[in-house]
Amino acid sequence: MTRPFEVERIDHLVLRVRDLARSLRFYGDVLGCQVVRQREHLGLVHLRAGASMIDLVSVDGTLGARGGAAAGEEGRNVDHLCLRIEPFDEAALRAHLARFGITPAPVAINFGAEGDGPSLYFDDPDGNTIEVKGPASRSP
């Protein structure tokens, strides 16, 4: 059986957050995402993340309340979100994150859409894990 479509990329990811303003600062200042639309009546903000979108919904807003309790130590919204970045300069990334009080885990080589490449992991204000991934390593 054939599918009538092919997956091209992640279009958007929706994260439920406890403090919308705090999360907007994190995704804007730390990751460089830009607000493209706000839907205050829903407690929803759409952020541009390269070719994709990250939507943030307040857990106490119209949409967010449907998901129950906020993510916490006993559970998460997602395992992690991986953002492909360019360039991947570990020293520059660590310096940038340090300005926000963020200390990422050591660089790991992980498999992604383009193959094996370097990644750094850290958490957003709600404990959601963010992976920033560089280009795939070139084989000799």
Side-chain angles (χ1 to χ4, degrees), residues 57-94:
V57 294
S58 176
V59 295
D60 59 359
T62 303
L63 292 178
R66 296 179 192 167
E73 291 188 29
E74 70 285 350
R76 298 185 270 178
N77 290 332
V78 296
D79 183 73
H80 73 278
L81 165 65
C82 179
L83 301 172
R84 170 62 166 85
I85 64 168
E86 187 70 42
F88 189 93
D89 178 335
E90 182 181 0
L93 287 167
R94 286 187 179 282

PDB file of all heavy atoms in Angstrom, residues 57-94:
ATOM      1  N   VAL A  57       1.937  27.178  24.142  1.00  0.00           N
ATOM      2  CA  VAL A  57       0.612  27.398  24.717  1.00  0.00           C
ATOM      3  C   VAL A  57       0.737  27.405  26.230  1.00  0.00           C
ATOM      4  O   VAL A  57       1.386  26.555  26.825  1.00  0.00           O
ATOM      5  CB  VAL A  57      -0.428  26.344  24.252  1.00  0.00           C
ATOM      6  CG1 VAL A  57      -0.699  26.466  22.774  1.00  0.00           C
ATOM      7  CG2 VAL A  57      -0.019  24.951  24.592  1.00  0.00           C
ATOM      8  N   SER A  58       0.110  28.381  26.835  1.00  0.00           N
ATOM      9  CA  SER A  58       0.109  28.491  28.283  1.00  0.00           C
ATOM     10  C   SER A  58      -0.762  27.389  28.872  1.00  0.00           C
ATOM     11  O   SER A  58      -1.883  27.164  28.402  1.00  0.00           O
ATOM     12  CB  SER A  58      -0.438  29.860  28.684  1.00  0.00           C
ATOM     13  OG  SER A  58      -0.524  29.960  30.078  1.00  0.00           O
ATOM     14  N   VAL A  59      -0.260  26.694  29.898  1.00  0.00           N
ATOM     15  CA  VAL A  59      -1.028  25.589  30.490  1.00  0.00           C
ATOM     16  C   VAL A  59      -2.338  26.064  31.097  1.00  0.00           C
ATOM     17  O   VAL A  59      -3.260  25.267  31.273  1.00  0.00           O
ATOM     18  CB  VAL A  59      -0.218  24.787  31.546  1.00  0.00           C
ATOM     19  CG1 VAL A  59       0.958  24.080  30.901  1.00  0.00           C
ATOM     20  CG2 VAL A  59       0.215  25.652  32.704  1.00  0.00           C
ATOM     21  N   ASP A  60      -2.445  27.365  31.395  1.00  0.00           N
ATOM     22  CA  ASP A  60      -3.695  27.877  31.952  1.00  0.00           C
ATOM     23  C   ASP A  60      -4.546  28.598  30.906  1.00  0.00           C
ATOM     24  O   ASP A  60      -5.562  29.195  31.227  1.00  0.00           O
ATOM     25  CB  ASP A  60      -3.429  28.774  33.162  1.00  0.00           C
ATOM     26  CG  ASP A  60      -2.558  29.976  32.836  1.00  0.00           C
ATOM     27  OD1 ASP A  60      -2.122  30.131  31.673  1.00  0.00           O
ATOM     28  OD2 ASP A  60      -2.305  30.777  33.753  1.00  0.00           O
ATOM     29  N   GLY A  61      -4.153  28.504  29.643  1.00  0.00           N
ATOM     30  CA  GLY A  61      -4.926  29.099  28.559  1.00  0.00           C
ATOM     31  C   GLY A  61      -5.961  28.135  28.019  1.00  0.00           C
ATOM     32  O   GLY A  61      -6.042  26.969  28.423  1.00  0.00           O
ATOM     33  N   THR A  62      -6.760  28.601  27.081  1.00  0.00           N
ATOM     34  CA  THR A  62      -7.839  27.801  26.497  1.00  0.00           C
ATOM     35  C   THR A  62      -7.336  26.474  25.946  1.00  0.00           C
ATOM     36  O   THR A  62      -7.902  25.416  26.236  1.00  0.00           O
ATOM     37  CB  THR A  62      -8.538  28.594  25.377  1.00  0.00           C
ATOM     38  OG1 THR A  62      -9.015  29.828  25.935  1.00  0.00           O
ATOM     39  CG2 THR A  62      -9.699  27.830  24.789  1.00  0.00           C
ATOM     40  N   LEU A  63      -6.274  26.502  25.134  1.00  0.00           N
ATOM     41  CA  LEU A  63      -5.739  25.267  24.564  1.00  0.00           C
ATOM     42  C   LEU A  63      -4.942  24.459  25.581  1.00  0.00           C
ATOM     43  O   LEU A  63      -5.090  23.247  25.674  1.00  0.00           O
ATOM     44  CB  LEU A  63      -4.840  25.573  23.366  1.00  0.00           C
ATOM     45  CG  LEU A  63      -5.505  26.122  22.122  1.00  0.00           C
ATOM     46  CD1 LEU A  63      -4.460  26.413  21.053  1.00  0.00           C
ATOM     47  CD2 LEU A  63      -6.541  25.147  21.604  1.00  0.00           C
ATOM     48  N   GLY A  64      -4.073  25.131  26.321  1.00  0.00           N
ATOM     49  CA  GLY A  64      -3.180  24.440  27.251  1.00  0.00           C
ATOM     50  C   GLY A  64      -3.899  23.703  28.360  1.00  0.00           C
ATOM     51  O   GLY A  64      -3.460  22.634  28.798  1.00  0.00           O
ATOM     52  N   ALA A  65      -5.010  24.236  28.819  1.00  0.00           N
ATOM     53  CA  ALA A  65      -5.757  23.603  29.913  1.00  0.00           C
ATOM     54  C   ALA A  65      -6.289  22.234  29.519  1.00  0.00           C
ATOM     55  O   ALA A  65      -6.509  21.377  30.378  1.00  0.00           O
ATOM     56  CB  ALA A  65      -6.901  24.514  30.353  1.00  0.00           C
ATOM     57  N   ARG A  66      -6.448  22.003  28.219  1.00  0.00           N
ATOM     58  CA  ARG A  66      -6.949  20.703  27.754  1.00  0.00           C
ATOM     59  C   ARG A  66      -5.961  19.574  28.024  1.00  0.00           C
ATOM     60  O   ARG A  66      -6.344  18.411  28.048  1.00  0.00           O
ATOM     61  CB  ARG A  66      -7.225  20.744  26.254  1.00  0.00           C
ATOM     62  CG  ARG A  66      -8.311  21.691  25.855  1.00  0.00           C
ATOM     63  CD  ARG A  66      -8.494  21.680  24.349  1.00  0.00           C
ATOM     64  NE  ARG A  66      -9.340  22.772  23.936  1.00  0.00           N
ATOM     65  CZ  ARG A  66      -9.462  23.161  22.678  1.00  0.00           C
ATOM     66  NH1 ARG A  66      -8.803  22.544  21.721  1.00  0.00           N
ATOM     67  NH2 ARG A  66     -10.249  24.164  22.381  1.00  0.00           N
ATOM     68  N   GLY A  67      -4.683  19.912  28.223  1.00  0.00           N
ATOM     69  CA  GLY A  67      -3.653  18.898  28.403  1.00  0.00           C
ATOM     70  C   GLY A  67      -3.434  18.457  29.832  1.00  0.00           C
ATOM     71  O   GLY A  67      -2.548  17.649  30.097  1.00  0.00           O
ATOM     72  N   GLY A  68      -4.198  18.988  30.767  1.00  0.00           N
ATOM     73  CA  GLY A  68      -4.037  18.593  32.158  1.00  0.00           C
ATOM     74  C   GLY A  68      -2.911  19.347  32.843  1.00  0.00           C
ATOM     75  O   GLY A  68      -2.596  20.480  32.482  1.00  0.00           O
ATOM     76  N   ALA A  69      -2.292  18.703  33.825  1.00  0.00           N
ATOM     77  CA  ALA A  69      -1.240  19.334  34.624  1.00  0.00           C
ATOM     78  C   ALA A  69      -0.040  19.687  33.747  1.00  0.00           C
ATOM     79  O   ALA A  69       0.220  19.052  32.725  1.00  0.00           O
ATOM     80  CB  ALA A  69      -0.805  18.396  35.745  1.00  0.00           C
ATOM     81  N   ALA A  70       0.693  20.697  34.172  1.00  0.00           N
ATOM     82  CA  ALA A  70       1.910  21.106  33.472  1.00  0.00           C
ATOM     83  C   ALA A  70       2.976  20.031  33.603  1.00  0.00           C
ATOM     84  O   ALA A  70       2.975  19.238  34.551  1.00  0.00           O
ATOM     85  CB  ALA A  70       2.427  22.419  34.049  1.00  0.00           C
ATOM     86  N   ALA A  71       3.891  20.030  32.652  1.00  0.00           N
ATOM     87  CA  ALA A  71       5.025  19.112  32.736  1.00  0.00           C
ATOM     88  C   ALA A  71       5.819  19.431  33.996  1.00  0.00           C
ATOM     89  O   ALA A  71       5.887  20.576  34.428  1.00  0.00           O
ATOM     90  CB  ALA A  71       5.910  19.263  31.502  1.00  0.00           C
ATOM     91  N   GLY A  72       6.419  18.414  34.579  1.00  0.00           N
ATOM     92  CA  GLY A  72       7.198  18.598  35.798  1.00  0.00           C
ATOM     93  C   GLY A  72       8.115  17.415  35.991  1.00  0.00           C
ATOM     94  O   GLY A  72       8.377  16.651  35.051  1.00  0.00           O
ATOM     95  N   GLU A  73       8.587  17.230  37.202  1.00  0.00           N
ATOM     96  CA  GLU A  73       9.513  16.139  37.476  1.00  0.00           C
ATOM     97  C   GLU A  73       8.895  14.766  37.230  1.00  0.00           C
ATOM     98  O   GLU A  73       9.600  13.819  36.904  1.00  0.00           O
ATOM     99  CB  GLU A  73      10.033  16.234  38.912  1.00  0.00           C
ATOM    100  CG  GLU A  73      10.958  17.428  39.099  1.00  0.00           C
ATOM    101  CD  GLU A  73      11.616  17.424  40.458  1.00  0.00           C
ATOM    102  OE1 GLU A  73      11.815  16.339  41.023  1.00  0.00           O
ATOM    103  OE2 GLU A  73      11.945  18.523  40.934  1.00  0.00           O
ATOM    104  N   GLU A  74       7.575  14.657  37.368  1.00  0.00           N
ATOM    105  CA  GLU A  74       6.916  13.359  37.188  1.00  0.00           C
ATOM    106  C   GLU A  74       6.544  13.065  35.737  1.00  0.00           C
ATOM    107  O   GLU A  74       6.152  11.955  35.414  1.00  0.00           O
ATOM    108  CB  GLU A  74       5.660  13.274  38.068  1.00  0.00           C
ATOM    109  CG  GLU A  74       4.513  14.172  37.623  1.00  0.00           C
ATOM    110  CD  GLU A  74       4.663  15.661  37.913  1.00  0.00           C
ATOM    111  OE1 GLU A  74       5.584  16.062  38.652  1.00  0.00           O
ATOM    112  OE2 GLU A  74       3.858  16.440  37.387  1.00  0.00           O
ATOM    113  N   GLY A  75       6.662  14.045  34.861  1.00  0.00           N
ATOM    114  CA  GLY A  75       6.323  13.805  33.470  1.00  0.00           C
ATOM    115  C   GLY A  75       6.704  14.982  32.590  1.00  0.00           C
ATOM    116  O   GLY A  75       6.912  16.083  33.081  1.00  0.00           O
ATOM    117  N   ARG A  76       6.806  14.728  31.290  1.00  0.00           N
ATOM    118  CA  ARG A  76       7.193  15.764  30.340  1.00  0.00           C
ATOM    119  C   ARG A  76       6.174  15.846  29.208  1.00  0.00           C
ATOM    120  O   ARG A  76       5.412  14.916  28.987  1.00  0.00           O
ATOM    121  CB  ARG A  76       8.570  15.449  29.737  1.00  0.00           C
ATOM    122  CG  ARG A  76       9.678  15.404  30.759  1.00  0.00           C
ATOM    123  CD  ARG A  76      11.000  15.222  30.082  1.00  0.00           C
ATOM    124  NE  ARG A  76      11.281  13.794  29.950  1.00  0.00           N
ATOM    125  CZ  ARG A  76      12.344  13.297  29.374  1.00  0.00           C
ATOM    126  NH1 ARG A  76      13.228  14.098  28.841  1.00  0.00           N
ATOM    127  NH2 ARG A  76      12.533  12.006  29.301  1.00  0.00           N
ATOM    128  N   ASN A  77       6.258  16.952  28.472  1.00  0.00           N
ATOM    129  CA  ASN A  77       5.425  17.119  27.279  1.00  0.00           C
ATOM    130  C   ASN A  77       5.983  16.311  26.116  1.00  0.00           C
ATOM    131  O   ASN A  77       5.237  15.717  25.344  1.00  0.00           O
ATOM    132  CB  ASN A  77       5.370  18.586  26.857  1.00  0.00           C
ATOM    133  CG  ASN A  77       4.579  19.427  27.817  1.00  0.00           C
ATOM    134  OD1 ASN A  77       3.686  18.947  28.480  1.00  0.00           O
ATOM    135  ND2 ASN A  77       4.905  20.705  27.892  1.00  0.00           N
ATOM    136  N   VAL A  78       7.278  16.326  25.937  1.00  0.00           N
ATOM    137  CA  VAL A  78       7.972  15.620  24.856  1.00  0.00           C
ATOM    138  C   VAL A  78       9.304  15.136  25.409  1.00  0.00           C
ATOM    139  O   VAL A  78       9.747  15.588  26.466  1.00  0.00           O
ATOM    140  CB  VAL A  78       8.238  16.526  23.628  1.00  0.00           C
ATOM    141  CG1 VAL A  78       6.959  16.994  22.985  1.00  0.00           C
ATOM    142  CG2 VAL A  78       9.102  17.708  23.996  1.00  0.00           C
ATOM    143  N   ASP A  79       9.981  14.226  24.696  1.00  0.00           N
ATOM    144  CA  ASP A  79      11.311  13.829  25.132  1.00  0.00           C
ATOM    145  C   ASP A  79      12.306  14.938  24.839  1.00  0.00           C
ATOM    146  O   ASP A  79      12.985  15.407  25.729  1.00  0.00           O
ATOM    147  CB  ASP A  79      11.764  12.534  24.447  1.00  0.00           C
ATOM    148  CG  ASP A  79      13.121  12.097  24.969  1.00  0.00           C
ATOM    149  OD1 ASP A  79      13.168  11.629  26.123  1.00  0.00           O
ATOM    150  OD2 ASP A  79      14.115  12.287  24.249  1.00  0.00           O
ATOM    151  N   HIS A  80      12.405  15.361  23.567  1.00  0.00           N
ATOM    152  CA  HIS A  80      13.236  16.518  23.246  1.00  0.00           C
ATOM    153  C   HIS A  80      12.893  17.052  21.866  1.00  0.00           C
ATOM    154  O   HIS A  80      12.272  16.373  21.064  1.00  0.00           O
ATOM    155  CB  HIS A  80      14.739  16.204  23.354  1.00  0.00           C
ATOM    156  CG  HIS A  80      15.296  15.357  22.263  1.00  0.00           C
ATOM    157  ND1 HIS A  80      15.183  13.982  22.254  1.00  0.00           N
ATOM    158  CD2 HIS A  80      15.977  15.685  21.135  1.00  0.00           C
ATOM    159  CE1 HIS A  80      15.779  13.504  21.170  1.00  0.00           C
ATOM    160  NE2 HIS A  80      16.266  14.522  20.463  1.00  0.00           N
ATOM    161  N   LEU A  81      13.304  18.270  21.636  1.00  0.00           N
ATOM    162  CA  LEU A  81      13.163  18.936  20.353  1.00  0.00           C
ATOM    163  C   LEU A  81      14.564  19.145  19.808  1.00  0.00           C
ATOM    164  O   LEU A  81      15.425  19.673  20.506  1.00  0.00           O
ATOM    165  CB  LEU A  81      12.475  20.295  20.538  1.00  0.00           C
ATOM    166  CG  LEU A  81      12.559  21.274  19.368  1.00  0.00           C
ATOM    167  CD1 LEU A  81      11.815  20.729  18.154  1.00  0.00           C
ATOM    168  CD2 LEU A  81      12.014  22.618  19.786  1.00  0.00           C
ATOM    169  N   CYS A  82      14.800  18.705  18.576  1.00  0.00           N
ATOM    170  CA  CYS A  82      16.106  18.878  17.949  1.00  0.00           C
ATOM    171  C   CYS A  82      16.016  19.962  16.891  1.00  0.00           C
ATOM    172  O   CYS A  82      15.182  19.892  15.987  1.00  0.00           O
ATOM    173  CB  CYS A  82      16.585  17.567  17.323  1.00  0.00           C
ATOM    174  SG  CYS A  82      18.183  17.747  16.512  1.00  0.00           S
ATOM    175  N   LEU A  83      16.892  20.953  17.018  1.00  0.00           N
ATOM    176  CA  LEU A  83      16.977  22.035  16.048  1.00  0.00           C
ATOM    177  C   LEU A  83      18.308  21.942  15.316  1.00  0.00           C
ATOM    178  O   LEU A  83      19.366  21.954  15.938  1.00  0.00           O
ATOM    179  CB  LEU A  83      16.872  23.387  16.753  1.00  0.00           C
ATOM    180  CG  LEU A  83      15.587  23.613  17.546  1.00  0.00           C
ATOM    181  CD1 LEU A  83      15.696  24.890  18.350  1.00  0.00           C
ATOM    182  CD2 LEU A  83      14.384  23.650  16.620  1.00  0.00           C
ATOM    183  N   ARG A  84      18.272  21.829  14.004  1.00  0.00           N
ATOM    184  CA  ARG A  84      19.490  21.789  13.185  1.00  0.00           C
ATOM    185  C   ARG A  84      20.018  23.210  13.081  1.00  0.00           C
ATOM    186  O   ARG A  84      19.271  24.126  12.737  1.00  0.00           O
ATOM    187  CB  ARG A  84      19.147  21.213  11.809  1.00  0.00           C
ATOM    188  CG  ARG A  84      20.220  21.317  10.755  1.00  0.00           C
ATOM    189  CD  ARG A  84      21.495  20.548  11.133  1.00  0.00           C
ATOM    190  NE  ARG A  84      22.340  20.421   9.970  1.00  0.00           N
ATOM    191  CZ  ARG A  84      23.209  21.363   9.580  1.00  0.00           C
ATOM    192  NH1 ARG A  84      23.349  22.469  10.257  1.00  0.00           N
ATOM    193  NH2 ARG A  84      23.929  21.164   8.498  1.00  0.00           N
ATOM    194  N   ILE A  85      21.263  23.410  13.456  1.00  0.00           N
ATOM    195  CA  ILE A  85      21.846  24.745  13.433  1.00  0.00           C
ATOM    196  C   ILE A  85      23.066  24.780  12.526  1.00  0.00           C
ATOM    197  O   ILE A  85      23.665  23.743  12.212  1.00  0.00           O
ATOM    198  CB  ILE A  85      22.211  25.235  14.849  1.00  0.00           C
ATOM    199  CG1 ILE A  85      23.294  24.350  15.460  1.00  0.00           C
ATOM    200  CG2 ILE A  85      20.971  25.310  15.737  1.00  0.00           C
ATOM    201  CD1 ILE A  85      23.909  24.922  16.721  1.00  0.00           C
ATOM    202  N   GLU A  86      23.434  25.958  12.131  1.00  0.00           N
ATOM    203  CA  GLU A  86      24.618  26.173  11.296  1.00  0.00           C
ATOM    204  C   GLU A  86      25.154  27.551  11.614  1.00  0.00           C
ATOM    205  O   GLU A  86      24.377  28.504  11.647  1.00  0.00           O
ATOM    206  CB  GLU A  86      24.217  26.092   9.815  1.00  0.00           C
ATOM    207  CG  GLU A  86      25.368  26.122   8.852  1.00  0.00           C
ATOM    208  CD  GLU A  86      26.216  24.861   8.862  1.00  0.00           C
ATOM    209  OE1 GLU A  86      25.666  23.757   8.909  1.00  0.00           O
ATOM    210  OE2 GLU A  86      27.451  25.011   8.839  1.00  0.00           O
ATOM    211  N   PRO A  87      26.406  27.753  11.938  1.00  0.00           N
ATOM    212  CA  PRO A  87      27.404  26.700  12.096  1.00  0.00           C
ATOM    213  C   PRO A  87      27.320  26.071  13.480  1.00  0.00           C
ATOM    214  O   PRO A  87      26.627  26.587  14.357  1.00  0.00           O
ATOM    215  CB  PRO A  87      28.725  27.457  11.938  1.00  0.00           C
ATOM    216  CG  PRO A  87      28.423  28.815  12.494  1.00  0.00           C
ATOM    217  CD  PRO A  87      26.982  29.089  12.108  1.00  0.00           C
ATOM    218  N   PHE A  88      28.043  24.996  13.672  1.00  0.00           N
ATOM    219  CA  PHE A  88      28.127  24.350  14.982  1.00  0.00           C
ATOM    220  C   PHE A  88      29.524  24.622  15.521  1.00  0.00           C
ATOM    221  O   PHE A  88      30.473  23.917  15.219  1.00  0.00           O
ATOM    222  CB  PHE A  88      27.873  22.841  14.895  1.00  0.00           C
ATOM    223  CG  PHE A  88      27.732  22.191  16.252  1.00  0.00           C
ATOM    224  CD1 PHE A  88      26.490  22.035  16.829  1.00  0.00           C
ATOM    225  CD2 PHE A  88      28.848  21.753  16.942  1.00  0.00           C
ATOM    226  CE1 PHE A  88      26.350  21.444  18.083  1.00  0.00           C
ATOM    227  CE2 PHE A  88      28.723  21.162  18.191  1.00  0.00           C
ATOM    228  CZ  PHE A  88      27.468  21.014  18.767  1.00  0.00           C
ATOM    229  N   ASP A  89      29.660  25.693  16.280  1.00  0.00           N
ATOM    230  CA  ASP A  89      30.925  26.098  16.893  1.00  0.00           C
ATOM    231  C   ASP A  89      30.745  25.914  18.390  1.00  0.00           C
ATOM    232  O   ASP A  89      30.113  26.741  19.060  1.00  0.00           O
ATOM    233  CB  ASP A  89      31.218  27.559  16.537  1.00  0.00           C
ATOM    234  CG  ASP A  89      32.483  28.102  17.165  1.00  0.00           C
ATOM    235  OD1 ASP A  89      32.925  27.591  18.227  1.00  0.00           O
ATOM    236  OD2 ASP A  89      33.026  29.055  16.600  1.00  0.00           O
ATOM    237  N   GLU A  90      31.289  24.814  18.914  1.00  0.00           N
ATOM    238  CA  GLU A  90      31.030  24.463  20.312  1.00  0.00           C
ATOM    239  C   GLU A  90      31.393  25.585  21.266  1.00  0.00           C
ATOM    240  O   GLU A  90      30.613  25.920  22.159  1.00  0.00           O
ATOM    241  CB  GLU A  90      31.774  23.179  20.705  1.00  0.00           C
ATOM    242  CG  GLU A  90      31.484  22.783  22.142  1.00  0.00           C
ATOM    243  CD  GLU A  90      32.212  21.541  22.608  1.00  0.00           C
ATOM    244  OE1 GLU A  90      32.970  20.939  21.814  1.00  0.00           O
ATOM    245  OE2 GLU A  90      32.023  21.162  23.779  1.00  0.00           O
ATOM    246  N   ALA A  91      32.557  26.178  21.107  1.00  0.00           N
ATOM    247  CA  ALA A  91      32.981  27.235  22.032  1.00  0.00           C
ATOM    248  C   ALA A  91      32.013  28.421  21.988  1.00  0.00           C
ATOM    249  O   ALA A  91      31.617  28.953  23.032  1.00  0.00           O
ATOM    250  CB  ALA A  91      34.401  27.679  21.702  1.00  0.00           C
ATOM    251  N   ALA A  92      31.627  28.832  20.801  1.00  0.00           N
ATOM    252  CA  ALA A  92      30.695  29.955  20.667  1.00  0.00           C
ATOM    253  C   ALA A  92      29.328  29.603  21.249  1.00  0.00           C
ATOM    254  O   ALA A  92      28.690  30.437  21.898  1.00  0.00           O
ATOM    255  CB  ALA A  92      30.569  30.355  19.203  1.00  0.00           C
ATOM    256  N   LEU A  93      28.878  28.369  21.032  1.00  0.00           N
ATOM    257  CA  LEU A  93      27.594  27.933  21.577  1.00  0.00           C
ATOM    258  C   LEU A  93      27.617  27.932  23.099  1.00  0.00           C
ATOM    259  O   LEU A  93      26.698  28.434  23.754  1.00  0.00           O
ATOM    260  CB  LEU A  93      27.242  26.534  21.083  1.00  0.00           C
ATOM    261  CG  LEU A  93      26.820  26.427  19.626  1.00  0.00           C
ATOM    262  CD1 LEU A  93      26.804  24.966  19.192  1.00  0.00           C
ATOM    263  CD2 LEU A  93      25.462  27.060  19.424  1.00  0.00           C
ATOM    264  N   ARG A  94      28.683  27.380  23.675  1.00  0.00           N
ATOM    265  CA  ARG A  94      28.783  27.340  25.137  1.00  0.00           C
ATOM    266  C   ARG A  94      28.832  28.746  25.726  1.00  0.00           C
ATOM    267  O   ARG A  94      28.188  29.020  26.740  1.00  0.00           O
ATOM    268  CB  ARG A  94      29.994  26.517  25.574  1.00  0.00           C
ATOM    269  CG  ARG A  94      29.799  25.031  25.389  1.00  0.00           C
ATOM    270  CD  ARG A  94      30.944  24.207  25.996  1.00  0.00           C
ATOM    271  NE  ARG A  94      30.683  22.804  25.799  1.00  0.00           N
ATOM    272  CZ  ARG A  94      29.814  22.092  26.536  1.00  0.00           C
ATOM    273  NH1 ARG A  94      29.159  22.656  27.519  1.00  0.00           N
ATOM    274  NH2 ARG A  94      29.611  20.817  26.284  1.00  0.00           N
TER     275      ARG A  94
END
